[in-house]
């Protein structure tokens, strides 16, 4: 998934009508549609092949069982494990017998990002939160059950899935509210849709977001990939509705941000990274300033750090950021 490509730029001295602002706008939109189409089709179809192969090689566990995977130190290691165990639960998550303590009375729900799943995203953080004394839960959403890559479905539908999962956590733990910790889509547009449009603001105390997509993304650097995928644009709606919804200026982004980006009943914490190649520009992660919003970038604390979008949920500074946001009374200085 680590794709670095450069978009071609017309020479400045060109006098062609193709360089007019109107044409450039249409061309940019076509490249953007093709880009997300290509990545959706390529990754989704590739994942289908992987999942099919693994299903043939390894019989699936009964649906009622949740296989717990080992802790991981990197996104790459977690992804490698998930290839053979796409439905795995990260260590420490989904212990439905857990009861919140007086020290940590609010259960934590971990919400993965696009083209990820609960294990790929949270195999590092979930066990650390569990060890810190939290009741931790992690759903898969936005994809078929047992499919490797999740978070690709319509974000309004995914918000409904999150709503049902949060209600289950509240019922099982007896807690009136939960804290959400999310990455990318899972820390930005999707849970904010849940809070704004599905009554979630009354059920969420904190939203802690790592590289969220709060103002969408231009997907800069991925456009070149699309020209290698014939017919990719036609597949976008079926392959990854969430991809188009996350583009800068989409109807979904516009509607969600109208009338205010935050709810006064919820505390928001945002951590971005300057070297993000997925949320572009990286400042799209930031919410509008408000008294209940705390946000910074990784390089504010580690100036030379190059960790990008996929790696941030495994970074020790991001882990401390999450712990501080969940329990500000016992916050510790962020270090590298």
């Amino acid at each position: 998934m680590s794709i670095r490509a450069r978009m071609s730029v017309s020479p400045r001295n060109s006098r062609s009508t193709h360089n007019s602002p109107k044409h450039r706008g249409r061309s940019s939109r076509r490249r953007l549609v093709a880009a997300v189409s290509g990545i959706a089709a390529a990754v989704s179809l590739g994942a289908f092949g992987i999942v099919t192969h693994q299903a043939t090689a390894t019989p699936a566990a009964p649906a009622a069982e949740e296989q717990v995977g080992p802790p991981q130190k990197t996104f790459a290691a977690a992804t490698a494990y998930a290839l053979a165990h796409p439905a795995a639960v990260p260590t420490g998550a989904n212990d439905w017998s857990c009861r919140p303590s007086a020290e940590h009375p609010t259960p934590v729900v971990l919400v993965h990002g696009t083209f990820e799943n609960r294990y790929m995203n949270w195999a590092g953080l979930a066990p650390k939160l569990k060890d810190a004394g939290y009741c931790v839960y992690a759903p898969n959403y936005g994809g078929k059950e047992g499919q490797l890559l999740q978070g690709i479905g319509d974000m309004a539908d995914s918000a409904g899935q999150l709503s049902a999962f949060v209600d289950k956590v509240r019922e099982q733990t007896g807690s009136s509210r939960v804290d959400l910790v999310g990455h990318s889509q899972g820390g930005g547009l999707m849970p904010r849709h849940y809070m704004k449009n599905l009554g979630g603001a009354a059920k969420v105390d904190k939203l802690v977001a790592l590289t969220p997509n709060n103002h969408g993304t231009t997907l800069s650097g991925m456009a070149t990939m699309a020209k290698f995928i014939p017919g990719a644009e036609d597949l976008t709606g079926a392959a990854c509705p969430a991809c188009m919804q996350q583009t800068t200026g989409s109807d979904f982004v516009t509607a969600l941000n109208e009338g205010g980006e935050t709810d006064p009943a919820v505390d928001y914490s945002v951590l971005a990274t300057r070297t993000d190649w997925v949320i572009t520009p990286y400042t799209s992660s930031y919410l509008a300033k408000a008294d209940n919003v705390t946000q910074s970038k990784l390089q504010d604390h580690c100036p030379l750090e190059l960790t990008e979008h996929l790696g941030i949920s495994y970074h020790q500074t991001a882990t401390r950021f999450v712990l501080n946001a969940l329990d500000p009374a016992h916050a510790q200085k962020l270090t590298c």
Side-chain angles (χ1 to χ4, degrees):
M1 292 180 69
S2 183
I3 303 163
R4 296 182 182 274
R6 296 183 179 179
M7 296 176 62
S8 59
V9 180
S10 300
R12 292 185 179 180
N13 61 357
S14 172
R15 296 184 180 181
S16 168
T17 56
H18 292 284
N19 201 34
S20 68
K22 184 177 181 179
H23 177 85
R24 288 199 305 269
R26 290 197 301 267
S27 179
S28 296
R29 285 192 293 272
R30 285 196 297 268
R31 289 198 301 268
L32 183 56
V33 170
V36 294
S37 299
I39 194 168
V43 179
S44 297
L45 292 175
F48 177 79
I50 292 169
V51 173
T52 302
H53 172 75
Q54 293 300 334
T56 301
T58 306
E65 297 180 6
E66 289 191 323
Q67 181 181 9
V68 178
Q72 303 289 352
K73 294 183 178 180
T74 66
F75 183 88
T79 300
Y81 183 88
L83 291 175
H85 309 87
V89 177
T91 295
N94 294 5
D95 175 4
W96 297 102
S97 66
C98 185
R99 295 296 175 264
S101 65
E103 184 179 7
H104 298 303
T106 308
V108 176
V109 176
L110 302 176
V111 192
H112 64 76
T114 311
F115 294 136
E116 300 172 328
N117 63 40
R118 59 190 174 189
Y119 185 82
M120 292 162 66
N121 228 154
W122 306 118
L125 184 61
K128 294 177 182 177
L129 291 175
K130 182 70 171 181
D131 289 346
Y134 290 93
C135 290
V136 183
Y137 303 89
N140 279 330
Y141 71 87
K144 294 181 180 179
E145 185 176 354
Q147 181 173 287
L148 176 68
L149 301 185
Q150 302 281 324
I152 58 179
D154 180 278
M155 285 195 286
D157 294 340
S158 293
Q161 294 175 36
L162 176 62
S163 177
F165 190 85
V166 167
D167 285 346
K168 179 180 179 181
V169 170
R170 293 170 60 243
E171 179 181 358
Q172 292 293 317
T173 61
S175 299
S176 60
R177 289 177 177 260
V178 303
D179 290 334
L180 301 180
V181 176
H183 175 246
S184 196
Q185 176 192 159
L189 295 172
M190 191 276 281
R192 287 178 50 221
H193 179 91
Y194 158 60
M195 291 189 288
K196 180 177 182 177
N197 299 308
L198 301 180
K203 303 173 184 179
V204 175
D205 188 44
K206 301 179 181 70
L207 173 60
V208 186
L210 303 178
T211 59
N213 58 359
N214 285 313
H215 293 96
T217 175
T218 64
L219 293 178
S220 176
M222 295 186 182
T224 304
M225 178 181 177
K227 62 185 179 183
F228 298 104
I229 314 292
E233 185 172 347
D234 295 333
L235 294 174
T236 301
C240 186
C243 294
M244 293 308 299
Q245 290 175 318
Q246 292 176 76
T247 57
T248 303
S250 73
D251 291 344
F252 193 96
V253 172
T254 301
L256 184 61
N257 287 336
E258 283 179 346
E261 298 178 12
T262 55
D263 188 291
V266 180
D267 288 329
Y268 300 80
S269 299
V270 173
L271 183 67
T273 177
R274 189 174 56 216
T275 51
D276 198 328
W277 55 268
V278 175
I279 305 302
T280 53
Y282 77 88
T283 51
S284 292
S285 287
Y286 294 142
L287 292 163
K289 293 182 179 179
D291 291 340
N292 59 333
V293 175
T294 300
Q295 47 199 5
S296 64
K297 63 179 179 291
L298 183 61
Q299 289 76 17
D300 291 338
H301 315 287
C302 306
L304 302 180
E305 183 55 57
L306 298 178
T307 296
E308 40 66 59
H309 189 78
L310 295 178
I312 197 165
S313 61
Y314 287 83
H315 195 280
Q316 62 180 1
T317 303
T319 298
R320 175 43 58 187
F321 178 88
V322 171
L323 290 168
N324 286 355
L326 293 176
D327 187 8
H330 298 92
Q332 299 179 21
K333 182 178 179 180
L334 295 179
T335 63
C336 300

